[in-house]
């Protein structure tokens, strides 16, 4: 009986304890339930992200074997619409020396044309995509004022300006047989190949006083989306060709004809130029016997300009004994500046061509001096 009462008492005490703990236990269970749900949500989100990453990895794994080496898949590529196409310059072509030369020639030309507007172009992709530079360049070359806003920050405004500029360009070039290799979207998306095509066409149509490197080709990566899979191909694009330089006489002049068709007369021309330069350089006890090599470092060109214009060129302005390619280019470029200061037009030759012992380039520079100073004492 006592044992039974003891059990009942124990049960009552236990029940009392359980009753007093019920609110706290319920709160704990509620908290645990909330944390459980939160944890479950986080786990589901994590798994969802893992699945998304896995899908992305799978897409890249499928597409990657078809991409040329060094080509990166951009997020916008995988989100391309079905049958859409995207073109970009192959990374290896960016390192092509002739392509780099072409870019430099075009940049220098633009800066020369827009000098009065105080516009300085350093990068064709970044400086041409919004239409501002292209507008100013076209207006300068054509003498025609375009009805566009001067400054446009929005993408819509930039594309509207590009549309106006390119319509004017295409209207001018298309009747002369030019293939239109550019568009508003390609220019605005900073497609370097399209920008270069446009600038080369403008330079050649307006007979710019520059020497474009011949036979410049690049490879572009063409990305297409077919049945959800990216397909890529390498396509060669010719930016400058002999056909183009033959069509436009500014790229081929009397010296091209002389070297191609009358090499026997070349020595006569060289002898005349050597006689001319020695007439002046002899005053400094200097003598030239080889035109290509002795003018390649720019020193004789600088000294010759000083003699022709009757002034002394400070030695700190140039390298008297240049050793590196860069120092020689600096000297020749400085000589070109002296020529322009003397009222001569900017030489068609490039400093790099003279330094590289390009005979035609050296002959052009010296012949330009000869025609302007042949009667000087």
């Amino acid at each position: 009986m006592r044992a039974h009462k003891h059990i009942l008492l124990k049960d009552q005490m236990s029940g009392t304890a359980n009753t007093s703990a019920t609110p706290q236990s319920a709160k704990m269970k509620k908290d645990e339930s909330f944390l459980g749900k939160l944890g479950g949500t986080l786990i589901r989100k994590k798994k969802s992200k893992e699945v998304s990453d896995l899908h992305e990895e799978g897409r890249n794994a499928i597409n990657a074997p078809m991409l040329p080496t060094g080509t990166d898949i951009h997020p916008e590529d995988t989100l391309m619409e079905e049958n859409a196409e995207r073109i970009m310059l192959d990374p290896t072509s960016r390192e092509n020396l002739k392509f780099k030369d072409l870019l430099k020639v075009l940049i220098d030309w633009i800066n020369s044309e827009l000098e009065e507007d105080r516009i300085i172009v350093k990068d064709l992709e970044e400086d041409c995509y919004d239409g501002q530079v292209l507008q100013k360049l076209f207006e300068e070359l054509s003498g025609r004022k375009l009805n566009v806003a001067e400054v446009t920050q929005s993408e819509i405004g930039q594309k509207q300006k590009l549309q106006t500029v390119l319509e004017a360009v295409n209207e001018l070039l298309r009747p002369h047989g030019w293939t239109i290799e550019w568009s508003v979207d390609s220019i605005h998306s900073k497609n370097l190949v399209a920008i270069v095509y446009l600038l080369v066409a403008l330079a050649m149509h307006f007979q710019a006083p520059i020497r474009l490197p011949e036979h410049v080709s690049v490879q572009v990566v063409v990305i297409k989306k077919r049945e959800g899979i990216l397909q890529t191909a390498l396509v060669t694009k010719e930016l400058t060709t002999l056909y183009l330089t033959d069509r436009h006489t500014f790229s081929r002049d009397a010296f091209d004809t002389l070297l191609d068709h009358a090499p026997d007369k070349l020595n006569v021309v060289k002898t005349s130029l050597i006689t001319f330069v020695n007439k002046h350089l002899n005053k400094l006890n200097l003598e030239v016997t080889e035109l290509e090599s002795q003018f390649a470092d720019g020193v004789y060109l600088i000294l010759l300009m000083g003699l022709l214009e009757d002034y002394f060129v400070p030695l700190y302005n140039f390298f008297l004994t240049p050793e590196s390619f860069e120092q020689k280019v600096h000297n020749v470029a400085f000589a070109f500046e002296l020529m322009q200061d003397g009222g001569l037009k900017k030489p068609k030759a490039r400093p790099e061509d003279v330094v590289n012992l390009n005979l035609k380039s050296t002959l052009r520079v010296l012949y330009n001096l000869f025609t302007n100073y042949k009667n000087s004492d």
Side-chain angles (χ1 to χ4, degrees), residues 317-377:
N317 281 331
F318 65 100
F319 298 96
L320 190 58
T321 55
E323 297 179 357
S324 67
F325 180 81
E326 289 74 18
Q327 290 177 348
K328 294 176 183 179
V329 170
H330 169 86
N331 280 357
V332 177
F334 178 58
F336 285 6
E337 291 178 13
L338 297 179
M339 294 174 194
Q340 290 177 272
D341 290 342
L344 278 68
K345 291 184 177 180
K346 184 178 180 179
K348 291 184 178 181
R350 299 180 301 156
E352 292 85 355
D353 293 334
V354 175
V355 175
N356 284 326
L357 308 179
N358 185 296
L359 178 59
K360 287 189 289 186
S361 297
T362 305
L363 288 178
R364 287 188 182 92
V365 173
L366 294 177
Y367 187 75
N368 191 32
L369 295 178
F370 173 76
T371 55
N372 284 274
Y373 296 100
K374 59 185 176 182
N375 295 323
S376 299
D377 294 330

Side-chain angles (χ1 to χ4, degrees), residues 90-157:
D90 181 49
T92 58
S93 288
R94 285 186 179 273
E95 303 305 316
N96 183 295
L97 294 180
K98 293 183 73 173
F99 180 62
K100 285 185 174 182
D101 282 346
L102 177 59
L103 297 184
K104 184 179 185 305
V105 170
L106 292 173
I107 289 173
D108 290 345
W109 169 58
I110 295 173
N111 288 334
S112 176
E113 292 290 342
L114 302 182
E115 185 176 4
E116 293 184 1
D117 293 301
R118 297 183 179 180
I119 292 176
I120 299 177
V121 171
K122 296 182 179 179
D123 185 288
L124 293 181
E125 292 166 291
E126 296 298 329
D127 296 333
C128 292
Y129 82 95
D130 62 359
Q132 182 75 12
V133 170
L134 294 177
Q135 172 213 339
K136 294 295 185 181
L137 180 63
F138 180 78
E139 290 178 341
E140 179 68 26
L141 295 172
S142 65
R144 172 184 168 189
K145 184 72 174 176
L146 297 177
N147 184 24
V148 293
E150 283 299 315
V151 180
T152 51
Q153 298 293 337
S154 68
E155 179 178 337
I156 295 176

